[in-house]
Amino acid sequence: MTGFAQALLLGILIGGVYALMASGLTLVFGVMNVINVAQGAFLIFSALVTWEVWSTTGVDPIALSLVTTPMMFLLGWVVYRLFVRRVLDAPPSATVLLTFGIALVLEGVMGLVTRNVFHSVTPGYERTSFYLGPLFLPKAYVYTFAVAVVVLSLLYVLLTHTWTGRAIRAASQNLPSAQLVGVGASSVAAMTFAIGTATTGVGGSLLAVLFTFFPASHYVWISRLLGVIVLGGMGSLPGAVLGSLILGVAEAMTSTYVSPRWATVVFYIVILVVLLFKPSGLLGRPVREDVVAA
Amino acid sequence: MRAVSPGRVGARLDPGRAAAALLLVALAVFPLLARGDTYHQNVLFSAFLLAVEALGWNIVSGFAGYVSLGQSAFLGVGAYTAGLLAIHLGVSPLLLAPLGGVAAALLALVVGSVVMRARGHAFVIITIALVLILQVTGLNLTSITGGSNGVTLPIPGWDPALGNLPFYYAMFALMVLSLGLCAWVRRTKFGTGLLAIRADENKAAAIGIRTNVYKTLAFIASGALVGVAGGVYAYFLTFIDPRGMFDILVSVSILLAAMIGGRGTVWGPLIGAFIVQILTEATNVWANGSQARLILFGGLLMATVLFVPQGLLPAAARLLERRRTRGRAVEATSHAVVTRPIEVSRIVRTIDTDDGEDLLVGKGLTKRFGRLVAVDRCDVTVRQGTITGLIGPNGSGKTTLFNLLTGMLVADEGTVHLAGTRIDGLPPWRRAHLGLGRTWQTTRLFDDMTVLDNVVAPLSRFRWRTLAASAVAGHEAERARELLAFVGMADLAGVRAGHLSFGQRKLVELAQVLMTQPRLILLDEPAGGVNPALVERIAGLVRSLNERGVTFLIVEHNMPLVLELCDPVVVLASGRTIAAGTPETIQRDPVVLDAYLGEDPSTMHDEAPV
């Protein structure tokens, strides 16, 4: 029983961090119908920068998200302007392939620069825990969860209480109408992509504290994030949160009761099953195309 | 690189064919001339392997348009099947390689029959997940796959003097087979069906193409030879491990090769495979290894998507075509519609069922989109031999009703019967086979195909051997030409459908529908957006077809035309049938006037139409 409660707790804590990482992916899909497969590589990139700065200066890795977030925002904006913008009208698979290409280039560059070894960031609190009766809460999990909740809340406020946020939501619901009332589609898309990428800034810094990683880890991460947003409903922010919590717990349970080696399979299977049988996910809007009988 | 000579663009050019044959012969004799040059033999072996994979990819992703990043799954399954069996049975893996193909085909059958339901993004992502699942599973099932340690195969048993020649020729043969398969598929009904699915899957289903079977078969065809190649490859390496075999990067290089060369062409993937393989070798030689290859592949993928999404071969072909037809393209499309009367009796055989019987009956049909009820407990009946009109204000649900009747959408409630057979649970292609045809308000032709190919594409039933039949041949081609003559479009048979004007497209779509001899044709705004002369013409065609027994259900906003052509007329408002009767009664019906002109206080009632 303790084992179960422990797994549940860890699953929820890690799920909160997944939710933050997935929020950017689902936001970008919701607004511009683009699945940014490079999101995983962006995460690893931010984690690597965090590692680099932490290991040379000793600055707290979680605090470094204040640096990595604007950095990734800028990177997202540039990537959108240079590449993504040009394929928005192409068939949907084109954007998947384009961002896959970006991920590969980034993976290669990171491999060249870091000599392709495993990294992990180990601040002083890394091996200590809070205790709650028989349960333990690793401090790194608690801190990163707290940061994820704060950032997600900020994102929510940004989307609901600012003009930019309302423009983004309007564009995600009905782009032509949003354009008619003065929302510039191109600038909203650039802003969305930049914000979506910025979430990988803080996400990557948190990742660096929680996991070991190396450049090719981005495949695992993009699979996790895709699993999350596919389950929650692509384009839905509450769906991403729900999907993250469910999959965080499912992963922790699999690690506890089956084997950590099988834990990632959970995500792949979720992707397969949900996309095949309920493509709209838990909280997604039904997709007209999929209503059609084939 | 000698593999790419611009002269080989388009298989029709004879110099092209000669160059192609020359290339194959050169590759066949190369190891005999350069004996002992194992380095170049091995580079070519890898290029052949990539070509087999890329040509396979081409069938499901190039022809059918379902972009797959899961092709390395077939390679891995083939490699493991042949490799493990060889170890247990003590037989040469080369002999067991065909079993690898069988295993890959089975995988494609099982996975394809479910996975092909997903479209667009979803399909790409599922195929990525497939490879990753197989890799993790392979790594974890240590007892079978050796886990990350892999499995070592026996070294080849043949005379060492032969070197890698048996591998070279085995893979070369597989490449030629793959090339043949691609070329053959392209020429058959099966291939045309796949192209139709790529262009417009719903339309393909509506003209009787059994899309699910086509797609699954395409997936199998794309995997089977790759599975065989996997067996050969495993033996060549004498080592297999899950990371190397179920490698997403291999999938990427396959997709790259096919896309660079030109997806959907026959030679493009082969040419692309040689380009990608040579570039890979270059990174190995000059840039030392895997990081450089990642950057190269990633960069190439981005560049291809951004700058030559069609691939090099089609880009070159288009350039040539433009040079050749400069000034003539205009001439072809500016042709006025030419009338060349052809007896309607040649077009439709008389349908001899009793006029007046109910042919199509929809009862209680309901379709909701979220909270919007587009069609609301709607009843509609079309009697045999009539030209029934379907009118109603914008947004009254006419097109949605069409979609429910033809199976483009599945109704939430209600039934549809065609000539007594219940059809509401049937997919669109089955309904087409039962004699239901339709056109679209905006017309949906396969723009990249010629007018003639468009008209030949529909199928009036599903037979396995039809799949292998030539796409355009014999009796069918003749019938298609007659149909084009009937609608007055015979002169444009060879023009690409994308070049036609809107009115011409309407006529071609009508000819296309007629191909399968439907008993009932649903026309969605046949007169919308075309000039008055053409409206007259279309009306004339409809009348003459009707005289031969073809029944029509027509959505139309052109009231004079409806009143003149249709009897009875059904009126739809807010998703419901509010009136039906002769044009005269409809014209005088206050409820109908209401629906069109708004509330008349004298006829106020509860169900106010929008």
Side-chain angles (χ1 to χ4, degrees):
Chain A
M1 197 56 218
T2 316
F4 181 82
Q6 184 70 54
L8 185 68
L9 208 57
L10 291 179
I12 290 173
L13 288 177
I14 209 75
V17 178
Y18 290 170
L20 168 64
M21 293 167 171
S23 61
L25 190 62
T26 206
L27 190 66
V28 167
F29 180 81
V31 172
M32 54 182 94
N33 204 26
V34 167
I35 293 184
N36 178 17
V37 186
Q39 193 85 349
F42 288 161
L43 268 180
I44 300 297
F45 178 66
S46 161
L48 263 179
V49 170
T50 306
W51 181 85
E52 201 68 48
V53 177
W54 169 80
S55 61
T56 47
T57 67
V59 179
D60 181 79
I62 297 181
L64 278 174
S65 48
L66 293 174
V67 178
T68 51
T69 304
M71 174 187 82
M72 295 311 285
F73 180 91
L74 202 67
L75 179 67
W77 193 83
V78 170
V79 165
Y80 176 82
R81 281 284 161 201
L82 285 183
F83 308 119
V84 178
R85 187 168 58 90
R86 297 170 202 277
V87 291
L88 287 183
D89 297 328
S93 54
T95 53
V96 175
L97 298 181
L98 177 76
T99 52
F100 202 102
I102 295 172
L104 291 178
V105 171
L106 206 51
E107 182 192 343
V109 170
M110 289 190 291
L112 282 182
V113 174
T114 67
R115 293 180 311 283
N116 223 7
V117 289
F118 274 99
H119 294 287
S120 65
V121 174
T122 50
Y125 47 80
E126 203 256 346
R127 284 174 181 281
T128 57
S129 297
F130 298 112
Y131 292 92
L132 204 80
L135 306 175
F136 67 95
L137 305 174
K139 286 185 180 170
Y141 279 51
V142 176
Y143 296 157
T144 52
F145 177 79
V147 170
V149 171
V150 169
V151 175
L152 269 176
S153 309
L154 285 176
L155 187 64
Y156 182 76
V157 172
L158 174 81
L159 286 176
T160 48
H161 285 81
T162 65
W163 193 90
T164 307
R166 278 194 294 271
I168 288 175
R169 286 189 303 142
S172 80
Q173 283 171 25
N174 189 336
L175 187 59
S177 303
Q179 283 173 309
L180 280 178
V181 296
V183 173
S186 162
S187 65
V188 164
M191 188 55 85
T192 310
F193 201 85
I195 293 175
T197 309
T199 62
T200 66
V202 52
S205 294
L206 301 185
L207 184 157
V209 179
L210 292 173
F211 298 88
T212 56
F213 57 91
F214 78 122
S217 306
H218 76 92
Y219 294 112
V220 175
W221 280 96
I222 190 60
S223 309
R224 280 202 173 106
L225 301 186
L226 282 173
V228 163
I229 73 163
V230 160
L231 176 63
M234 301 214 282
S236 158
L237 208 50
V241 174
L242 183 65
S244 298
L245 293 177
I246 293 175
L247 288 180
V249 171
E251 191 185 21
M253 293 291 170
T254 313
S255 292
T256 309
Y257 292 105
V258 188
S259 149
R261 290 189 311 172
W262 288 102
T264 43
V265 178
V266 172
F267 292 93
Y268 305 144
I269 291 177
V270 164
I271 292 175
L272 276 181
V273 172
V274 177
L275 281 183
L276 286 177
F277 299 103
K278 193 173 186 311
S280 57
L282 293 175
L283 300 182
R285 279 170 284 171
V287 186
R288 277 293 286 268
E289 187 193 55
D290 293 300
V291 177
V292 175
Chain B
M1 203 195 68
R2 42 196 188 284
V4 190
S5 77
R8 222 158 8 66
V9 172
R12 274 163 298 159
L13 295 175
D14 262 353
R17 283 202 173 177
L22 211 63
L23 169 79
L24 291 182
V25 170
L27 289 173
V29 299
F30 169 75
L32 304 177
L33 300 178
R35 286 197 88 122
D37 183 0
T38 22
Y39 172 71
H40 284 111
Q41 280 177 27
N42 289 352
V43 171
L44 284 173
F45 172 85
S46 303
F48 296 163
L49 171 63
L50 189 54
V52 171
E53 295 166 324
L55 287 161
W57 182 92
N58 195 37
I59 295 177
V60 68
S61 307
F63 293 157
Y66 275 67
V67 174
S68 163
L69 272 174
Q71 296 306 98
S72 53
F74 298 128
L75 185 77
V77 167
Y80 267 104
T81 307
L84 294 179
L85 280 177
I87 290 174
H88 290 298
L89 301 177
V91 186
S92 161
L94 221 45
L95 297 176
L96 294 174
L99 284 182
V102 173
L106 281 176
L107 177 76
L109 172 65
V110 172
V111 174
S113 53
V114 266
V115 165
M116 304 306 284
R117 296 158 48 118
R119 295 188 190 182
H121 294 114
F123 183 76
V124 193
I125 288 167
I126 286 175
T127 58
I128 297 175
L130 178 69
V131 175
L132 296 177
I133 284 183
L134 286 172
Q135 190 190 72
V136 176
T137 310
L139 285 171
N140 288 343
L141 294 179
T142 354
S143 57
I144 303 173
T145 61
S148 48
N149 292 328
V151 178
T152 309
L153 301 184
I155 52 165
W158 55 71
D159 181 359
L162 280 176
N164 282 341
L165 280 188
F167 291 127
Y168 183 94
Y169 282 110
M171 201 54 88
F172 179 70
L174 281 171
M175 181 181 78
V176 174
L177 267 180
S178 300
L179 193 65
L181 181 68
C182 257
W184 178 74
V185 165
R186 182 71 183 75
R187 273 202 317 271
T188 58
K189 281 274 175 204
F190 176 49
T192 318
L194 295 181
L195 292 181
I197 287 170
R198 178 180 73 183
D200 187 341
E201 188 163 343
N202 291 338
K203 164 85 185 190
I207 57 171
I209 291 171
R210 192 172 176 179
T211 47
N212 47 357
V213 168
Y214 276 62
K215 289 186 294 181
T216 306
L217 277 179
F219 208 42
I220 293 174
S222 81
L225 286 174
V226 177
V228 183
V232 177
Y233 184 51
Y235 199 24
F236 174 79
L237 295 176
T238 66
F239 173 74
I240 37 181
D241 73 317
R243 269 187 236 283
M245 285 301 148
F246 300 108
D247 184 354
I248 193 77
L249 258 194
V250 170
S251 285
V252 173
S253 64
I254 294 169
L255 173 143
L256 254 185
M259 288 200 34
I260 288 178
R263 56 168 137 176
T265 65
V266 173
W267 284 87
L270 186 137
I271 294 169
F274 279 81
I275 295 177
V276 168
Q277 193 55 44
I278 283 167
L279 288 174
T280 305
E281 286 308 316
T283 59
N284 285 343
V285 174
W286 288 308
N288 193 18
S290 56
Q291 304 309 320
R293 192 157 73 231
L294 279 171
I295 298 174
L296 173 79
F297 281 8
L300 273 180
L301 190 54
M302 291 170 66
T304 310
V305 171
L306 288 173
F307 303 117
V308 268
Q310 300 297 317
L312 295 178
L313 199 54
R318 195 159 299 174
L319 214 66
L320 275 182
E321 187 189 35
R322 202 175 303 158
R323 192 166 298 172
R324 230 184 3 221
T325 59
R326 190 171 292 160
R328 281 197 295 150
V330 186
E331 181 196 345
T333 49
S334 66
H335 254 300
V337 174
V338 185
T339 319
R340 189 177 300 160
I342 183 152
E343 277 300 305
V344 69
S345 59
R346 293 186 62 81
I347 299 307
V348 279
R349 51 169 190 270
T350 315
I351 300 171
D352 33 56
T353 23
D354 292 334
D355 276 9
E357 273 184 21
D358 290 348
L359 180 59
L360 181 78
V361 183
K363 272 213 167 65
L365 288 168
T366 301
K367 183 70 196 175
R368 298 181 201 93
F369 298 112
R371 245 174 265 162
L372 173 80
V373 187
V375 174
D376 186 7
R377 285 163 288 162
C378 178
D379 296 325
V380 63
T381 301
V382 180
R383 278 178 292 114
Q384 173 74 46
T386 60
I387 303 176
T388 303
L390 181 63
I391 62 171
N394 285 321
S396 59
K398 301 181 297 291
T399 297
T400 306
L401 181 61
F402 258 36
N403 286 334
L404 296 179
L405 295 174
T406 52
M408 295 292 111
L409 292 171
V410 176
D412 296 320
E413 289 159 29
T415 59
V416 184
H417 285 82
L418 180 69
T421 313
R422 184 163 172 184
I423 61 166
D424 48 271
L426 301 179
W429 54 266
R430 278 287 297 155
R431 302 188 198 200
H433 294 175
L434 291 171
L436 192 60
R438 79 166 287 186
T439 65
W440 272 265
Q441 185 181 343
T442 48
T443 73
R444 284 162 78 164
L445 295 176
F446 306 116
D447 285 349
D448 288 335
M449 297 187 196
T450 64
V451 167
L452 185 66
D453 286 345
N454 264 281
V455 178
V456 173
L459 297 173
S460 56
R461 60 178 134 171
F462 178 81
R463 276 186 309 188
W464 291 98
R465 64 188 162 89
T466 313
L467 293 174
S470 281
V472 185
H475 170 69
E476 277 177 337
E478 196 178 316
R479 174 168 168 76
R481 284 181 203 286
E482 282 178 2
L483 283 169
L484 283 172
F486 175 64
V487 299
M489 297 289 293
D491 291 351
L492 299 182
V495 175
R496 267 169 27 117
H499 290 159
L500 299 182
S501 74
F502 190 59
Q504 291 169 332
R505 294 173 66 90
K506 294 239 171 203
L507 291 170
V508 173
E509 200 174 44
L510 184 60
Q512 189 182 43
V513 167
L514 288 171
M515 188 71 191
T516 56
Q517 306 235 5
R519 319 172 60 168
L520 170 64
I521 301 178
L522 278 59
L523 300 177
D524 199 348
E525 297 201 23
V530 299
N531 67 53
L534 197 53
V535 171
E536 259 321 297
R537 219 179 132 64
I538 292 175
L541 291 172
V542 168
R543 257 191 224 104
S544 63
L545 289 165
N546 182 247
E547 277 161 21
R548 301 284 296 179
V550 181
T551 310
F552 284 89
L553 177 65
I554 302 179
V555 164
E556 188 49 69
H557 280 301
N558 181 337
M559 281 309 143
L561 179 70
V562 171
L563 298 177
E564 179 198 326
L565 193 63
C566 302
D567 186 12
V569 176
V570 178
V571 188
L572 219 57
S574 305
R576 283 193 201 185
T577 312
I578 56 165
T582 62
E584 293 74 35
T585 50
I586 291 298
Q587 266 177 298
R588 279 183 255 109
D589 191 327
V591 181
V592 176
L593 295 176
D594 240 22
Y596 271 96
L597 305 173
E599 206 94 352
D600 176 350
S602 65
T603 61
M604 191 80 92
H605 54 88
D606 290 340
E607 293 171 80
V610 177

